[in-house]
């Protein structure tokens, strides 16, 4: 019999991806290991491809609860290609599972510097903040390791959230988490009625750390940001609200207000036009649209 040709890196990697999708994490890990061996046997350096394989194997370790090996593979992946989003998020999750909360916080915060739209990183920061405040009190930030400053070049490289990461960013909360999120949102609403918008933001953020699938929580937090003149944060929250509910009138209105304050009159007008298509007789929106048009003219 003729000797079998060596398996290609691409074939092994594809087989590993298929096993991972099927929930066969040990098998996927073994295939990624063979792909790494094949890549290293070629002798030519391909840091990007090697980094992806280590990151993929780390995902298998994380699924199997092998957090130590996950951290090791993620660190290797990041040594090869610094500021890669997936290994940062996977290492953060592993640190969190091992209750190494300061290290998890640093990785989640670093991921947000790369792309501030990744919901799993936002939720992670909120969870770690809550835990660290509970453990160390108001001075908890002083006990953190240094958070690296991500260079602009790395931020630009991740202008778009990778599709696979975007698909997994929204976790499915348990029934208990949903109920806890509801209670915290209501507490935030009560604080808004009392005019305590800073404290309300904390409650809404805590609510979102339990369940990030409630459009109204984002649009309510946006209102607080507006009151506190935090217009860019208001835009971000309204955008998240509209991803969850494309007919959230309050989110359109509040984002239009924020854009107007930022002097982005075209975006403000576009949001008001969208709102008025949903509610043609909305008086406040009609009035704001007239103001924005005057500024555009």
């Amino acid at each position: 019999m003729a000797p079998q040709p060596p398996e290609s890196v691409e074939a092994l990697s594809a087989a590993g991806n298929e096993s991972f999708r099927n929930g066969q994490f040990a098998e996927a890990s073994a295939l990624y290991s063979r792909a790494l061996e094949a890549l290293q046997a070629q002798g030519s350096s391909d840091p990007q491809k090697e980094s992806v394989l280590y990151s993929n194997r780390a995902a298998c370790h994380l699924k199997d609860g092998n957090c130590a090996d996950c951290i090791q593979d993620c660190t290797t992946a990041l040594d090869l290609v610094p500021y890669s989003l997936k290994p940062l998020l996977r290492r953060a999750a592993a640190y969190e599972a091992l209750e190494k909360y300061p290290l998890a916080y640093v990785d989640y915060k670093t991921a947000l510097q790369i792309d501030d739209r990744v919901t799993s990183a936002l939720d992670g920061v909120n969870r770690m903040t809550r835990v660290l405040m509970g453990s160390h009190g108001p001075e908890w930030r002083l006990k953190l390791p240094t958070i690296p400053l991500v260079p602009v070049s790395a931020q630009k490289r991740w202008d778009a959230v990778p599709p696979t990461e975007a698909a997994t960013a929204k976790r499915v909360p348990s029934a208990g988490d949903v109920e806890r999120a509801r209670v915290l949102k209501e507490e935030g609403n009560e604080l808004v009625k009392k005019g305590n918008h800073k404290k309300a933001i904390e409650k809404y953020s805590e609510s979102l750390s339990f369940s990030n699938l409630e459009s109204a929580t984002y649009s309510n937090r946006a209102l607080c940001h507006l009151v506190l003149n935090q217009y860019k944060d208001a835009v971000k929250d309204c955008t998240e609200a509209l991803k969850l509910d494309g007919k959230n009138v309050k989110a359109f209105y509040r984002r239009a207000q924020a854009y107007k304050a930022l002097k982005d009159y075209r975006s403000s007008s576009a949001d008001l036009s969208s709102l008025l298509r949903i509610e043609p007789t909305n008086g406040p929106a009609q009035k704001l649209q007239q103001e924005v048009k005057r500024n555009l003219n």
Side-chain angles (χ1 to χ4, degrees):
M1 281 182 64
Q4 290 291 317
E7 293 173 284
S8 70
V9 174
E10 290 73 18
L12 288 164
S13 180
N17 294 345
E18 184 64 25
S19 293
F20 187 89
R21 281 192 293 269
N22 292 332
Q24 298 165 316
F25 305 121
E27 182 179 312
S29 177
L31 286 161
Y32 292 136
S33 296
R34 284 164 59 192
L36 279 165
E37 290 168 8
L39 183 64
Q40 290 156 0
Q42 291 175 2
S44 58
S45 176
D46 191 338
Q48 184 71 46
K49 193 176 288 185
E50 195 172 349
S51 177
V52 168
L53 287 168
Y54 275 112
S55 178
N56 287 356
R57 191 171 70 178
C60 301
H61 293 320
L62 188 61
K63 288 287 188 182
D64 279 337
N66 184 354
C67 294
D69 283 347
C70 174
I71 289 165
Q72 185 175 329
D73 273 356
C74 288
T75 302
T76 303
L78 289 162
D79 287 341
L80 288 159
V81 182
Y83 307 114
S84 296
L85 198 55
K86 288 184 181 181
L88 267 171
L89 290 170
R90 287 163 184 165
R91 190 171 68 179
Y95 279 140
E96 184 176 354
L98 293 173
E99 299 183 7
K100 296 183 177 182
Y101 301 125
L103 293 171
Y105 180 88
V106 168
D107 275 355
Y108 284 131
K109 286 291 281 187
T110 305
L112 285 178
Q113 288 184 66
I114 297 164
D115 191 326
D116 63 6
R117 298 165 296 174
V118 178
T119 314
S120 55
L122 285 165
D123 290 347
V125 165
N126 288 333
R127 284 195 306 276
M128 296 308 94
T129 299
R130 192 167 66 247
V131 170
L132 290 166
M133 281 184 70
S135 300
H136 303 298
E139 305 298 314
W140 65 274
R141 282 190 173 86
L142 300 177
K143 302 179 188 296
L144 289 174
T146 302
I147 299 172
L149 184 63
V150 175
V152 173
S153 58
Q155 296 173 35
K156 286 179 179 175
R157 202 178 75 230
W158 292 103
D159 274 348
V161 181
T164 51
E165 206 64 54
T168 58
K170 299 277 185 192
R171 64 184 178 87
V172 178
S174 67
D177 284 348
V178 170
E179 176 58 20
R180 182 69 179 133
R182 186 193 66 76
V183 170
L184 287 162
K185 185 184 80 169
E186 292 302 322
E187 290 176 9
N189 293 347
E190 290 302 313
L191 287 163
V192 168
K193 290 174 187 175
K194 295 174 183 175
N196 192 342
H197 294 93
K198 285 185 179 178
K199 193 70 178 175
I201 286 174
E202 291 178 16
K203 288 293 181 183
Y204 291 137
S205 298
E206 193 175 354
S207 172
L208 289 164
S209 75
F210 284 99
S211 173
N212 57 11
L213 305 178
E214 177 62 60
S215 177
T217 310
Y218 282 109
S219 55
N220 289 1
R221 190 170 69 176
L223 171 64
C224 300
H225 287 311
L226 276 173
V227 172
L228 297 170
N229 301 328
Q230 297 165 346
Y231 302 120
K232 290 183 180 178
D233 288 328
V235 167
K236 287 178 186 175
D237 273 354
C238 290
T239 301
E240 288 300 321
L242 288 164
K243 285 179 188 175
L244 292 163
D245 177 6
K247 294 186 177 180
N248 185 328
V249 167
K250 289 181 180 178
F252 274 124
Y253 186 72
R254 288 165 187 168
R255 191 167 71 175
Q257 288 178 299
Y259 277 137
K260 179 175 179 282
L262 293 167
K263 296 184 167 40
D264 185 351
Y265 302 118
R266 290 189 186 282
S267 296
S268 180
S269 180
D271 275 351
L272 290 164
S273 296
S274 297
L275 187 162
L276 289 167
R277 279 195 293 272
I278 300 166
E279 283 189 10
T281 59
N282 188 304
Q286 291 172 339
K287 183 180 177 183
L288 186 59
Q289 181 76 294
Q290 290 171 358
E291 293 174 18
V292 170
K293 282 182 177 176
R294 282 198 293 272
N295 284 302
L296 273 172
N297 296 333

